[in-house]
Amino acid sequence: LKKKPLILYNGTASTISRSIPMEKENSILNNLANIKWAEVKKIEKENSILDLCSLIKKADLVISVDTGITHIASAFNIPTIVHKSSENVYPKSSISIENSLYDDNLYKMAEDILEYIYTMSA
């Protein structure tokens, strides 16, 4: 039996202005819970940068505000959905999409990316 795809979510940045407010974060996680065939894990404080990198490397998709997490995922060639912000710094690559994490169709976008990944690897 194939394991469920892993989606990592992070809403915390180094500044409050770039972070997702806690009350909105629950809404985003509930939106992503619509993907019943994937596991959604919120990135918590990891013990070390190596632990964080190990976790990211296992992911099939990373959804995050623009932080080092998105840049690490990009370096591992893991698709990312990066929260649209005014700073426009996120990793620019063919596997990185800038979109609002408040979008009601976020789960559909994530599903489409995962389905594409699994179709291409089959």
Side-chain angles (χ1 to χ4, degrees):
L1 194 60
K2 198 173 196 179
K3 72 170 182 77
K4 285 182 163 187
L6 175 60
I7 299 170
L8 293 179
Y9 166 80
N10 172 59
T12 306
S14 58
T15 62
I16 292 173
S17 64
R18 287 182 32 232
S19 296
I20 302 291
M22 188 69 76
E23 63 274 5
K24 297 210 179 214
E25 194 164 74
N26 290 333
S27 175
I28 293 167
L29 289 167
N30 286 337
N31 182 311
L32 294 172
N34 286 312
I35 309 171
K36 305 291 186 211
W37 53 275
E39 178 185 353
V40 178
K41 178 179 178 10
K42 181 179 173 186
I43 296 175
E44 302 289 345
K45 186 171 175 71
E46 301 302 318
N47 292 328
S48 70
I49 188 73
L50 292 175
D51 289 343
L52 177 62
C53 288
S54 177
L55 178 62
I56 293 170
K57 185 139 176 76
K58 294 174 188 169
D60 296 285
L61 175 64
V62 171
I63 300 174
S64 177
V65 294
D66 186 13
T67 66
I69 289 168
T70 58
H71 295 271
I72 293 168
S74 184
F76 283 134
N77 211 29
I78 297 176
T80 59
I81 300 174
V82 183
H83 185 59
K84 189 170 186 64
S85 73
S86 60
E87 296 178 28
N88 239 357
V89 178
Y90 72 96
K92 309 288 195 284
S93 74
S94 61
I95 58 170
S96 191
I97 298 169
E98 184 182 30
N99 194 74
S100 172
L101 298 189
Y102 304 134
D103 185 337
D104 289 340
N105 292 314
L106 178 63
Y107 80 94
K108 185 63 179 141
M109 179 183 288
E111 265 187 333
D112 290 346
I113 292 168
L114 291 175
E115 286 174 359
Y116 179 79
I117 292 168
Y118 278 85
T119 300
M120 295 306 290
S121 66

